[in-house]
Amino acid sequence: MQRKHKILVVGGGGREHALAWRCATEGHEVLAAPGSDAIATVARRFDIGVRDHEELVRLAVREGVDLVLIGPEQPLVEGLADRCRLAGLATFGPSAAAAELEGSKAAAKAFMARHHIPTAAYRTVGTLDEGLVALQAFERPPVIKASGLAAGKGVVVCGSFAEAETALRECLADHRFGAAGDTVVVEERLEGEEVSFFVVTDGRAAVTFPPVQDHKRLGDGDTGPNTGGMGAYLPAPVCSPQVHARIMEKIVEPTLSGLRLEGRPFCGVLFVGLMVDASGEPFVIEYNVRFGDPEAQALLLGLDEPLVPHLIAAANGGLTPGSLRAHASAVVVLASAGYPASSTTGVPIEGLGEAQTGRDDVVVFHAGTRRENATWLTAGGRVLGVAAKAQSIQIALSRAYEGLAGLTLDGGQWRRDVGAQALQRLGESPINLHTSGQK
Ligand code: AMP
Ligand code: GLY
């Protein structure tokens, strides 16, 4: 029998709903701060924000939790994990020093250069003049990235040099991203297929998850603006066993050993966003220091074995290396009207009661909702994800789309082609999307 633990989940989005749901499903007692109305169905909720480190630590100590599980990047970059460890709490999430890999893209690029980790060629610039000079070093329009945290909005994959100039101007002259855009990474555009690769680590050993593919663009066929992610599925067929081995050897292991060498071992989830080129070579697009969202929703539903023992082992040191098995799994995100530029809140979502009852292979994870009496209302851009697991990606996708078809949201937006690339690669026919038309 596995021991029952008391776990504090920090955060309140779709990823944290999936984490809290997973911990509760594995039989643990879950607390959440600040949580959400949906998370409150599986956890005891405390109204403490993710930036209120003192109150979070006080809560964790008072409740005697066995594990603090930190969901979002911001509190990690701001040192919440360090603060928890100082208070003697077993904590899953990297120190601020290790979280710099996500907090500063310029620092992450310099780290990769020091440790010979494959990534796009780049220049770091701090003024518009420097930026304009740097552009001349690129043969093709580059990617412009605000170095700091910009809630997924600080990256422009430029179609022309004029667009690159505009993006540089927005960061360095107009200060569109505030201090997060005071340093800019200008980098070569990579070609290939993207993969989200996750490992749980105590800084030394790694436990791998099946590779996931996210869908960043708002529109079908990867068109429209970048979002936080509109859908995901696993396992991503682009990541063959050979590619998987290359990712471990050329990227994950040197990253973990590089951080150890630099005196900032990484404890938590390392999430590497990768481009796999036509010859199967992986390149780092970015590091993240937490689970991805919506990737976590598909991943945590799909897992075939308990996750919590690995999180506890990573937090306490002494993780045994391995790989986690999972069903094929998928999630389709429902976003509100106006997302990602804006979001419409307070709009009722109908059908959630039916979608949530009685199935363990289809789960709706809430990212931006609140409940008023018996009615669920939108409270953010990405509203929810319908996740499903099955024996194949195709069946998982059709179950997720079936679940979505049972929901009604005025002006709701979703992608109709989640997983289409995988089905094509696997030679399976596209699923019948019962849900075309506006919600
Ligand atoms: P990020 O916020 O760093 O995840 O970037 C957002 C998205 O921009 C990524 O998921 C990629 O789709 C795209 N992107 C970022 N950097 C590059 C690059 N060097 N080459 C091609 N696409 C990129
Ligand atoms: N879905 C990508 C991320 O969480 O950064």
Side-chain angles (χ1 to χ4, degrees), residues 116-153:
H116 313 291
I117 294 168
T119 186
Y122 77 106
R123 301 274 175 105
T124 298
V125 299
T127 64
L128 182 57
D129 284 346
E130 281 174 14
L132 297 176
V133 172
L135 284 189
Q136 294 167 10
F138 290 83
E139 276 172 23
R140 294 189 310 139
V143 181
I144 305 290
K145 302 183 166 185
S147 177
L149 292 182
K153 296 187 177 134

Side-chain angles (χ1 to χ4, degrees), residues 81-393:
D82 306 84
R83 184 67 194 77
C84 291
R85 290 193 182 102
L86 262 182
L89 294 160
T91 304
F92 186 81
S95 65
E100 192 192 34
L101 284 192
E102 178 164 2
S104 164
K105 290 185 195 290
K109 295 296 282 191
F111 172 84
M112 287 185 266
R114 284 197 295 283
H115 298 283
H116 313 291
I117 294 168
T119 186
Y122 77 106
R123 301 274 175 105
T124 298
V125 299
T127 64
L128 182 57
D129 284 346
E130 281 174 14
L132 297 176
V133 172
L135 284 189
Q136 294 167 10
F138 290 83
E139 276 172 23
R140 294 189 310 139
V143 181
I144 305 290
K145 302 183 166 185
S147 177
L149 292 182
K153 296 187 177 134
V155 173
V156 186
V157 181
C158 302
S160 66
F161 281 97
E163 198 183 338
E165 243 185 84
T166 306
L168 281 171
R169 219 173 276 284
E170 281 183 353
C171 282
L172 294 163
D174 307 341
H175 305 286
R176 179 168 164 213
F177 302 107
D182 284 351
T183 301
V184 171
V185 172
V186 184
E187 74 176 30
E188 173 192 58
R189 179 172 179 167
L190 298 167
E191 300 295 336
E193 219 181 300
E194 282 186 53
V195 177
S196 300
F197 197 85
F198 299 88
V199 300
V200 164
T201 177
D202 60 359
R204 202 167 277 281
V207 172
T208 62
F209 290 87
V212 191
Q213 193 160 63
D214 187 12
H215 295 61
K216 287 258 161 104
R217 300 295 192 104
L218 181 70
D220 289 354
D222 289 330
T223 54
N226 255 324
T227 69
M230 293 298 290
Y233 67 88
L234 63 126
V238 60
C239 192
S240 65
Q242 292 91 321
V243 174
H244 194 284
R246 278 182 204 139
I247 294 170
M248 289 304 289
E249 184 200 334
K250 297 186 175 177
I251 293 168
V252 173
E253 282 158 14
T255 299
L256 298 182
S257 64
L259 287 168
R260 278 201 313 273
L261 266 169
E262 295 184 2
R264 41 176 179 160
F266 190 104
C267 166
V269 162
L270 179 68
F271 159 11
V272 196
L274 296 162
M275 190 72 87
V276 178
D277 75 8
S279 58
E281 284 300 326
F283 294 83
V284 176
I285 295 177
E286 58 160 359
Y287 286 115
N288 297 296
V289 300
R290 34 89 195 165
F291 280 105
D293 198 6
E295 289 96 323
Q297 300 177 33
L299 207 46
L300 298 177
L301 174 65
L303 274 190
D304 284 333
E305 50 192 306
L307 175 67
V308 170
H310 299 289
L311 304 182
I312 299 262
N316 293 320
L319 182 72
T320 309
S323 51
L324 292 169
R325 282 169 292 117
H327 269 67
S329 182
V331 59
V332 182
V333 168
L334 179 61
S336 42
Y339 179 77
S342 63
S343 62
T344 332
T345 59
V347 182
I349 310 147
E350 279 159 40
L352 273 174
E354 296 77 28
Q356 275 178 323
T357 46
R359 290 187 74 156
D360 64 1
D361 60 344
V362 181
V363 179
V364 179
F365 293 114
H366 292 226
T369 67
R370 65 188 168 85
R371 184 157 59 183
E372 237 175 59
N373 303 316
T375 310
W376 287 97
L377 303 171
T378 61
R382 285 189 295 173
V383 176
L384 53 81
V386 183
K389 66 174 177 181
Q391 293 306 326
S392 73
I393 295 174

